């Protein structure tokens, strides 16, 4: 392991490389061998990776021999678009995408080595939870006599065990203590779940990584897969889990050309199985690693960075870095001390309005908080003041019921073994319940999945017309094979489904627009399988489903959890509830590692601010246990702001509700203290 410094500057071969600073240039033009880029917040990591891809192609590396792994497809596409504009060469053949998307693509090629057919389908998290819930009921764990985890919790437990590689009993004890008594039942459910997925030729998200990892344990497959990629680049490496790290080790047994970029100070996703140890131990896993640290920040003013640096200085495990910026400012971040949560809301709204008057749009301002419900009272105050806002969160496009309905039709066409999709489709029909749906699925399996056999099945009278129409539609699409374009298939299915839509779900107008949008998306695809898989692995983020009144304001404030704010930036950032128990969350203080992750989350929130940073500390919280009374407790300032850090902040104490003309001192013979003192004099008439 060795670390480069500013004095080592390679010869600049292309004019576009001159746009990089010294450290970025060192990283982008690294020749060969393992490279770890420690990229502090706002230091231009996306630019650095894009330039590295362009430089590799310019050096003669074939695009199809480059593997770029990111955590969103959008991030991969942005980097490849930048690289293409730089080197003026096509980057279309670069293997770019998320771990799950690339894993899916490789499993279609090499999956038969693991008895996996290329036409397998991918179940999203909701589908996985539904299957687990079905198994839970079949095994008799849905009894009301004894509490048992719900299907979503079961799915979370399963995923946590798989991704963290921790024993089930340890995961339950640490993260789900209320489920400890269900351990035996959960083991039975998980065993049946994996058996059922094999029968259905269905993989869930976790399987995409597990199958990829285990395929790499087959020497012939590993050699072919490793030789396929001359260079591997990984973004956001601090967010990888143990399985992903093992995949990378498997791909780099003989060829050690691997570049990973990340920031240990932004490792905040342990609840997804991510571990900071991957980035901390990378030099041990890949000997002779070159480490390049990016410290020049292009986002924030220096006083904000000073606070961020001081917060992370307390961290126990880290790569030492000191963020700096050429953007100087005399305005220090502000610690606003307020009496209670109501006053906090007033202070935030006042500052937002002040900045708006100064020319900073609402969309350039954001309020960040640790948990979604922490903004409840603030939302009421914003509404009262008529300040429009958008809160990050809500249903994703593919999670909505009507989109999942239409995709279920496509899934059974692609994989007739997909019982879960059959159950969803069949129970849309009038008069068809779980028992009838199961009989139809059993009949279909007995007839070797021939759709034609469904014409012989006797369904309830209420469903006969709908069922006959469904069978005819499936047969016509299946019989045409690839002659029918994907968009046309979606159109035919949509025309069949829309009459059912209004009966199945409320608010049909925006739902129909979503289905039309689905048809437009399908026009970009040549195969039904790739369309289904892309929607499952990288779905659109928004939907018109459950839309409220239209937001006609052209400007609106951003409200966001700290986790959702990662990767974003705003001119003014307000971090509310900077109290212990909120930051860090009292649910995440069970051990040192959890507390350290909370520190990193606070660091992420701070480094979102470009110009103005406000940390708000309400020192009184009222308990709302009773309708009347004023029971309250006093809070402590977050432990992440000790004296050494608060010295970098400008402290501001504001008390509302006191008119400016009220005297603050009474200096007269008839002063209050004198009157009280006279009460103890002799001969006073009480």
């Amino acid at each position: 392991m060795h670390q480069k410094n500013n004095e080592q500057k390679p010869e600049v071969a292309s004019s576009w490389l001159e746009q990089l600073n010294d450290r970025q240039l060192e990283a982008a033009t690294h020749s060969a061998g393992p490279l770890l880029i420690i990229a502090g917040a706002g230091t231009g990591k996306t630019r650095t990776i894009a330039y590295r891809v362009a430089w590799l192609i310019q050096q003669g590396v074939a695009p199809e021999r480059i593997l770029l792994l990111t955590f969103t497809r959008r991030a991969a596409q942005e980097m490849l678009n930048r690289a293409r504009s730089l080197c003026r060469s096509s980057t279309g053949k670069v293997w770019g995408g998320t771990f799950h998307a690339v894993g899916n693509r490789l499993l279609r090629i090499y999956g038969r080595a693991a008895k996996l057919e290329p036409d397998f389908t991918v179940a999203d998290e909701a589908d996985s939870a539904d299957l687990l819930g079905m198994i839970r009921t079949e095994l008799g764990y849905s009894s009301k006599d004894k509490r048992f985890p719900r299907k979503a919790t079961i799915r979370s437990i399963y995923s946590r065990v798989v991704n963290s590689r921790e024993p089930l009993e340890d995961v339950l004890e640490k993260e789900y203590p209320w489920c400890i008594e269900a351990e035996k039942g959960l083991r039975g459910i998980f065993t049946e779940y994996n058996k059922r997925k094999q029968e259905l030729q269905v993989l869930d998200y976790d399987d995409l990584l597990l199958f990829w990892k285990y395929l790499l344990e087959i020497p012939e497959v590993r050699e072919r897969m490793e030789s396929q990629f001359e260079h591997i680049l990984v973004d956001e490496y601090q967010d990888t889990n143990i399985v992903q790290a093992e995949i990378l080790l498997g791909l780099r047994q003989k060829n050690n050309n691997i570049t990973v970029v990340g920031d240990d100070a932004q490792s905040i996703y342990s609840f997804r199985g991510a571990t900071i140890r991957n980035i901390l131990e990378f030099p041990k896993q890949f000997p002779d690693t070159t480490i390049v640290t990016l410290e020049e920040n292009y986002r924030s003013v220096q006083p904000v960075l000073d606070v961020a640096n001081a917060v992370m200085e307390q961290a126990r495990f880290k790569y030492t870095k000191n963020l700096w910026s050429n953007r100087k400012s005399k305005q220090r971040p502000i610690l606003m001390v307020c009496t209670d949560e109501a006053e906090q809301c007033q202070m935030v709204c006042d500052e937002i309005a002040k900045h708006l008057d100064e020319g900073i749009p609402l969309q350039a301002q954001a309020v960040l908080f640790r948990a979604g419900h922490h903004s409840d009272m603030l939302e009421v105050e914003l509404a009262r003041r008529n300040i429009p806002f958008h809160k990050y969160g809500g249903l994703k496009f593919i999670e909505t019921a009507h989109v999942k309905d239409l995709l279920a039709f496509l899934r059974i066409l692609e994989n007739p073994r997909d019982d879960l999709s059959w159950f969803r489709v069949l129970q849309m029909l009038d008069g068809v319940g779980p028992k009838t749906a199961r009989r139809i699925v059993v009949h279909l399996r007995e007839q070797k999945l021939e759709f034609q056999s469904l014409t012989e099945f006797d369904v309830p009278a209420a469903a006969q017309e709908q069922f006959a129409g469904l069978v005819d539609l499936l047969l016509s699409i299946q019989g045409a094979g690839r002659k029918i374009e994907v968009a046309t298939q979606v159109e035919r299915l949509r025309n069949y489904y829309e009459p059912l839509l209004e009966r199945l779900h409320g608010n049909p107008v925006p739902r129909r627009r979503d289905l039309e949008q689905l048809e437009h998306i399908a026009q970009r695809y040549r195969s039904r399988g790739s369309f289904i898989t892309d929607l499952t692995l990288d779905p659109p983020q928004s939907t018109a489903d459950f839309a409220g009144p239209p937001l006609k304001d052209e400007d609106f404030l951003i409200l966001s959890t700290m986790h959702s704010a990662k990767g974003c930036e705003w001119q003014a950032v307000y971090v509310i509830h900077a109290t212990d128990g909120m930051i860090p969350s009292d649910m995440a203080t069970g051990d040192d590692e959890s507390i350290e992750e909370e520190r990193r989350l606070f660091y992420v929130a701070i480094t979102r601010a470009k110009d103005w940073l406000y940390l708000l500390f309400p020192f009184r919280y009222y308990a709302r246990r009773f309708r009347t009374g004023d029971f309250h407790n006093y809070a402590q300032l977050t432990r992440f702001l000790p004296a050494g850090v608060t010295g970098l902040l400008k402290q501001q104490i504001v008390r509302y509700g006191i008119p400016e003309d009220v005297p603050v001192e009474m200096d007269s013979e008839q002063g209050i203290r004198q009157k009280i003192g006279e009460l103890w004099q002799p001969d006073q008439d009480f």
Side-chain angles (χ1 to χ4, degrees):
M1 178 182 71
H2 55 285
Q3 190 154 352
K4 290 191 175 183
N5 54 50
N6 283 338
E7 296 176 358
Q8 296 174 306
K9 184 173 181 179
E11 181 180 351
V12 177
S14 302
S15 59
W16 46 267
L17 287 173
E18 296 176 354
Q19 301 172 34
L20 302 177
N21 65 38
D22 290 349
R23 292 291 180 91
Q24 292 172 336
L25 182 61
E26 291 172 3
T29 59
H30 176 74
S31 56
L35 171 65
L36 171 59
I37 306 172
I38 301 298
T43 56
K45 72 174 180 64
T46 300
R47 166 190 280 194
T48 304
I49 299 178
Y51 275 64
R52 176 149 181 76
V53 171
W55 185 81
L56 289 172
I57 293 174
Q58 190 183 66
Q59 299 304 302
V61 180
E64 63 270 20
R65 303 259 291 149
I66 298 174
L67 173 60
L68 173 62
L69 294 167
T70 61
F71 276 80
T72 65
R73 184 167 62 173
R74 180 180 178 184
Q77 197 58 53
E78 180 183 352
M79 293 175 191
L80 294 178
N81 288 341
R82 286 196 191 188
R84 182 172 59 248
S85 67
L86 294 170
C87 64
R88 301 183 184 277
S89 299
S90 173
T91 58
K93 293 184 178 180
V94 172
W95 280 62
T98 65
F99 272 90
H100 294 88
V102 172
N104 169 75
R105 188 175 170 186
L106 289 170
L107 291 178
R108 306 282 177 184
I109 300 172
Y110 299 102
R112 280 200 170 95
K115 298 182 180 180
L116 185 65
E117 295 299 321
D119 64 347
F120 68 83
T121 54
V122 180
D124 62 22
E125 292 186 10
D127 291 331
S128 300
D130 287 343
L131 181 55
L132 285 164
M134 185 186 304
I135 295 169
R136 171 182 181 266
T137 301
E138 292 173 1
L139 296 182
Y141 292 110
S142 58
S143 171
K144 295 181 180 179
D145 297 335
K146 196 170 184 179
R147 182 185 180 192
F148 199 86
R150 293 178 295 179
K151 63 182 182 180
T153 304
I154 297 173
R155 175 73 182 88
S156 297
I157 294 171
Y158 175 84
S159 186
R160 186 62 179 262
V161 171
V162 168
N163 288 298
S164 68
R165 306 293 291 276
E166 296 177 11
L168 173 60
E169 57 270 25
D170 291 351
V171 169
L172 293 178
E173 183 177 353
K174 181 180 178 181
E175 303 293 342
Y176 305 90
W178 65 93
C179 301
I180 289 177
E181 292 185 3
E183 180 184 340
K184 182 179 178 181
L186 289 171
R187 290 189 187 279
I189 290 173
F190 295 157
T191 300
E192 180 62 25
Y193 175 61
N194 284 294
K195 179 183 176 182
R196 195 75 59 88
K197 285 187 295 179
Q198 182 178 358
E199 293 173 353
L200 305 178
Q201 281 290 294
V202 170
L203 300 186
D204 60 26
Y205 283 166
D206 300 319
D207 289 331
L208 293 173
L209 299 182
L210 288 175
F211 269 78
W212 188 2
K213 167 191 156 21
Y214 289 123
L215 276 175
L216 289 168
E217 295 179 2
I218 303 173
E220 296 83 355
V221 175
R222 185 185 66 242
E223 289 177 9
R224 290 189 59 182
M225 206 180 291
E226 179 177 9
S227 63
Q228 190 170 340
F229 304 112
E230 186 175 344
H231 284 269
I232 296 178
L233 297 87
V234 187
D235 186 25
E236 303 284 11
Y237 192 64
Q238 78 279 350
D239 292 336
T240 54
N241 60 37
I242 293 175
V243 179
Q244 290 164 328
E246 291 174 339
I247 287 171
L248 295 173
L249 282 169
L251 286 171
R252 299 288 83 170
Q253 292 292 299
K254 297 179 180 179
N255 176 345
N256 67 350
N257 290 333
I258 179 170
T259 297
V260 301
V261 59
D263 182 3
D264 53 296
Q266 296 187 69
S267 178
I268 59 174
Y269 293 119
S270 66
F271 63 91
R272 298 179 185 171
T275 172
I276 191 176
R277 297 193 180 279
N278 284 350
I279 193 168
L280 294 177
E281 297 176 0
F282 183 84
K284 295 181 182 178
Q285 296 170 339
F286 293 92
D288 298 322
T289 292
T290 297
I291 302 177
V292 177
T293 304
L294 307 183
E295 296 178 305
E296 183 176 358
N297 180 285
Y298 296 93
R299 175 188 299 154
S300 306
V301 294
Q302 189 60 49
V304 170
L305 299 180
D306 290 339
V307 173
N309 289 333
V311 167
M312 285 310 299
E313 181 62 29
Q314 310 162 57
R316 295 179 60 193
F317 311 107
K318 64 179 183 296
Y319 286 102
T320 301
K321 70 180 80 67
N322 187 54
L323 298 181
W324 61 274
S325 172
N326 284 321
R327 299 188 62 225
K328 309 303 179 184
S329 174
K330 294 183 179 180
Q331 173 61 48
R332 290 184 293 166
I334 299 175
L335 174 62
M336 306 188 82
V337 181
C338 36
T339 304
D340 52 25
E341 190 175 358
E343 194 169 273
Q344 174 180 251
C345 296
Q346 295 181 61
M347 295 171 76
V348 169
C349 290
D350 286 351
E351 292 300 322
I352 289 169
K354 184 184 77 173
H355 283 309
L356 184 61
D357 289 341
E358 294 170 349
I360 299 178
L362 290 176
Q363 290 189 64
Q365 303 185 58
V367 181
L368 307 183
F369 32 85
R370 175 60 180 85
H373 66 275
H374 288 174
S375 67
D376 289 351
M377 186 178 291
L378 176 61
E379 291 173 40
V380 174
E381 180 66 13
L382 289 169
R384 188 185 72 80
R385 297 203 189 193
N386 199 28
I387 299 176
F389 63 88
H390 175 76
K391 187 173 181 178
Y392 278 57
L395 285 175
K396 293 182 180 178
F397 185 79
I398 199 172
E399 293 172 347
T400 53
H402 53 294
V403 173
K404 291 183 70 67
D405 285 349
L406 195 61
L407 283 177
F409 289 99
L410 291 168
R411 288 179 186 276
I412 59 178
L413 283 164
E414 190 66 18
N415 177 12
R417 295 179 291 267
D418 190 344
D419 288 2
L420 203 60
S421 294
W422 273 113
F423 275 104
R424 189 177 191 101
V425 167
L426 292 170
Q427 291 183 79
M428 298 180 199
L429 310 182
D430 293 330
V432 175
K435 291 184 179 179
T436 302
R438 178 169 294 281
R439 288 195 298 112
I440 296 173
V441 169
V442 170
H443 169 82
L444 190 63
R445 283 190 170 275
E446 291 174 348
Q447 300 300 316
K448 298 181 179 179
L449 304 174
E450 292 290 340
F451 288 173
Q452 184 65 44
S453 69
L454 293 174
T455 59
E456 308 166 3
F457 195 89
D458 187 23
V459 296
Q464 287 179 356
E465 184 177 346
Q466 294 171 346
F467 186 70
L470 172 63
V471 175
D472 289 343
L473 177 60
L474 296 177
L475 285 170
S476 66
I477 295 177
Q478 186 187 59
R482 297 185 178 181
K483 295 179 181 179
I484 305 181
E485 294 181 349
V486 180
T488 304
Q489 296 181 40
V490 175
E491 180 187 18
R492 291 188 181 184
L493 293 169
R494 180 171 63 82
N495 290 335
Y496 172 82
Y497 170 69
E498 282 191 351
L500 306 175
L501 176 63
E502 190 164 353
R503 178 179 62 82
L504 293 168
H505 309 294
N507 205 17
V509 175
R511 293 179 190 264
R512 288 196 186 97
R513 289 200 296 268
D514 280 346
L515 299 180
E516 291 169 1
Q517 181 65 17
L518 201 63
E519 185 179 328
H520 291 313
I521 296 173
Q523 293 174 0
R524 304 198 300 267
Y525 289 85
R526 299 178 62 181
S527 79
R528 182 175 58 221
S530 60
F531 173 62
I532 296 171
T533 301
D534 274 7
L535 273 180
T536 303
L537 296 180
D538 193 20
Q541 293 296 307
S542 61
T543 173
D545 192 16
F546 307 126
L551 184 61
K552 296 182 179 179
D553 295 86
E554 61 180 10
D555 193 17
F556 50 85
L557 178 73
I558 303 298
L559 305 183
S560 175
T561 63
M562 295 177 183
H563 282 100
S564 296
K566 188 168 178 286
C568 301
E569 59 182 43
W570 295 276
Q571 282 183 263
V573 168
Y574 311 84
V575 180
I576 60 176
H577 296 294
T579 62
D580 236 61
M582 302 284 196
I583 306 172
S585 168
D586 55 5
M587 299 295 290
T589 55
D591 54 56
D592 290 343
E593 287 190 5
S594 298
I595 294 173
E596 286 302 297
E597 179 159 330
E598 291 289 300
R599 184 194 311 282
R600 296 191 294 269
L601 187 59
F602 187 48
Y603 167 87
V604 167
I606 290 171
T607 53
R608 301 311 95 194
K610 297 169 68 175
D611 301 301
W612 295 84
L613 173 65
Y614 298 87
L615 307 173
L616 289 104
F617 167 49
F619 64 83
R620 177 186 294 164
Y621 283 91
Y622 288 94
R624 299 179 178 84
R625 300 175 187 172
F626 310 103
R627 292 180 180 229
T628 59
D630 60 352
F631 178 77
H632 64 273
N633 55 56
Y634 288 110
Q636 290 186 341
L637 184 64
T638 171
R639 69 189 70 181
F640 303 142
L641 294 177
V645 183
T646 54
L648 300 171
L649 303 169
K650 176 183 177 183
Q651 297 193 37
Q652 181 175 328
I653 301 176
V654 179
R655 290 186 174 86
Y656 286 83
I658 302 177
E660 293 183 358
D661 58 349
V662 172
V664 296
E665 185 175 324
M666 293 182 67
D667 186 14
S668 67
E669 292 182 358
Q670 299 302 316
I672 294 177
R673 290 188 182 278
Q674 180 179 339
K675 290 181 177 292
I676 294 175
E678 291 174 352
L679 295 175
W680 316 111
Q681 300 301 320
D683 303 326
Q684 293 298 311
D685 183 10
F686 290 95

